[in-house]
């Protein structure tokens, strides 16, 4: 009996040992130790603040503000996208001029993109750009672009993120319309009675706020935005001769619409009010 029990115990031990060995063989190999990351220096990540190229067909240039250098991801992506766009413009200009011919007497096409810091708060970094372009004809054209960067999230956000979801934007639409009419009257010396949606006797109408490019407007209170700066292209609210409009609407006019996450970024009165006329479009002679 004793020999039988000893044999059984030995057999059981052999089974357990074999199972343990099998588990060790089946276990995945341990991951190799992580290699230290190569140090990335500021020079490796830095993107230029300017870009310019001239050909016999076109001239292009880009200028970025010094302040963007503090946000490397934004700087790199904005520079890369802008340069790619300008290179496409150069290629397109050459294709246009060589395909149709007969334009040897015309000046080169031109595109100039100038970015500026519109305003900066504790959470937000706001940029605006003016693009002046000439592709033939009697005059050039100016258009605006804006970009909003959430510094905490380290990414771009849509301008609509500033406002509560489902907020009734009619208040801001009316405030913008009133400001547009005031700016047009001051510039033209004649009454301006544009309305939202226009009318049968109106060639132009007031733009909707959320359909218009805008940037943050700096506040007289340090570190805050005092309102929104709406950037209105030629032809949007009047004939080309009127030029562009940069309309500042104070935050007091729309404060109730702001999303809780960004409401504290607005305070005080705008550092400047009224319309600011930017540089005129480039029209080669």
């Amino acid at each position: 009996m004793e020999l039988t029990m000893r044999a059984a115990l030995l057999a059981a031990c052999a089974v357990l040992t074999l199972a343990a060995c099998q588990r060790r063989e089946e276990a995945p190999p341990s991951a190799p130790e992580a290699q230290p990351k190569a140090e990335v220096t500021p020079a490796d990540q830095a993107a230029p603040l300017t870009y310019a190229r001239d050909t016999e067909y076109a001239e292009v240039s880009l200028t970025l503000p010094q302040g963007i250098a503090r946000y490397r991801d934004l700087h790199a992506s904005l520079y890369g996208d802008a340069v790619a766009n300008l290179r496409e413009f150069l290629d397109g200009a050459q294709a246009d001029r060589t395909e149709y011919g007969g334009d040897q007497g015309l000046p080169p096409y031109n595109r100039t993109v100038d970015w500026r810091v519109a305003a900066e708060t504790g959470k937000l970094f706001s940029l605006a750009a003016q693009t002046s372009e000439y592709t033939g004809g009697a005059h050039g054209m100016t258009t605006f672009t804006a970009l909003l960067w959430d510094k905490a999230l380290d990414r771009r956000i849509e301008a609509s993120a500033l406002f509560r979801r489902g907020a009734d934007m009619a208040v801001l639409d009316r405030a913008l319309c009133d400001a547009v009419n005031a700016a047009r009257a001051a510039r033209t010396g004649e009454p301006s009675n544009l309305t939202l949606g226009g009318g049968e006797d109106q060639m132009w109408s007031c733009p909707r706020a959320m359909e218009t490019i805008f940037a943050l407007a700096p506040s007289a209170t340090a570190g805050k935005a005092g309102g929104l700066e709406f950037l209105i292209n030629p032809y949007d609210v009047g004939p080309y001769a009127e030029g562009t409009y940069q309309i500042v609407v104070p935050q007091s006019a729309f404060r109730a619409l702001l999303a809780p996450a960004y409401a504290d970024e607005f305070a005080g009165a705008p550092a400047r009010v009224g319309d600011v006329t930017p540089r005129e479009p480039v029209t080669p002679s």
Side-chain angles (χ1 to χ4, degrees):
M1 178 67 69
E2 184 177 349
L3 291 175
T4 303
M5 292 181 63
R6 182 176 298 174
L9 289 172
L10 291 173
C13 288
V15 171
L16 291 173
T17 301
L18 177 60
C21 291
Q22 289 175 337
R23 284 196 297 271
R24 284 196 296 269
E25 290 174 357
E26 294 170 359
S30 58
E33 294 184 7
Q35 297 298 315
K37 293 183 178 180
E39 182 180 357
V40 179
T41 66
D44 294 327
Q45 291 190 340
L49 293 174
T50 60
Y51 173 85
R53 292 290 185 275
D54 295 345
T55 71
E56 62 179 303
Y57 306 104
E59 301 168 352
V60 300
S61 67
L62 166 70
T63 303
L64 298 175
Q66 182 64 47
I68 199 175
R70 291 182 284 116
Y71 307 101
R72 293 176 181 172
D73 290 344
L74 171 60
H75 186 185
S77 64
L78 183 57
Y79 179 85
D81 291 346
V83 168
N85 180 271
L86 291 176
R87 287 173 176 166
E88 288 181 5
F89 181 82
L90 287 173
D91 292 342
Q94 181 173 352
D96 277 358
R97 306 294 287 268
T98 56
E99 179 179 355
Y100 295 105
D103 61 354
Q104 290 82 2
L106 292 178
Y109 287 179
N110 178 284
R111 178 177 288 177
T112 301
V113 183
D114 291 321
W115 283 90
R116 63 181 171 87
V117 177
E120 184 169 7
T121 71
K123 290 182 180 179
L124 298 170
F125 185 59
S126 177
L127 293 171
Q130 176 183 326
T131 298
S132 300
E133 181 176 303
Y134 175 76
T135 55
H139 55 71
M141 185 62 180
T142 296
T143 56
F144 293 109
T145 311
L147 184 154
L148 194 57
W149 185 263
D150 186 307
K151 297 191 290 186
L153 298 177
D154 198 32
R155 63 175 176 83
R156 298 186 194 192
I157 61 171
E158 296 295 329
S160 59
L162 295 175
F163 302 99
R164 291 185 289 104
R165 183 173 299 179
D168 184 357
M169 304 305 291
V171 171
L172 185 53
D173 288 339
R174 287 194 296 270
L176 175 58
C177 190
D178 290 344
V180 166
N181 281 320
R184 291 190 75 232
R187 183 174 295 184
T188 64
E190 299 178 356
S192 176
N193 300 302
L194 300 184
T195 60
L196 290 164
E200 293 182 359
D201 59 340
Q202 289 185 345
M203 182 176 295
W204 317 103
S205 62
C206 283
R208 299 281 179 182
M210 299 311 295
E211 297 173 0
T212 306
I213 300 294
F214 64 81
L216 300 184
S219 173
T221 301
K224 301 294 182 179
L228 298 176
E229 179 184 0
F230 289 87
L231 307 170
I232 299 176
N233 300 323
Y235 297 118
D236 283 356
V237 297
Y240 178 85
E242 284 187 26
T244 60
Y245 286 95
Q246 294 175 239
I247 307 293
V248 176
V249 176
Q251 57 91 20
S252 58
F254 57 84
R255 184 164 188 83
L257 306 176
L258 292 171
Y262 297 111
D264 288 345
E265 304 307 296
F266 292 81
R272 58 177 170 72
V273 295
D275 177 61
V276 177
T277 305
R279 189 181 66 252
E280 289 300 312
V282 174
T283 306
S285 57

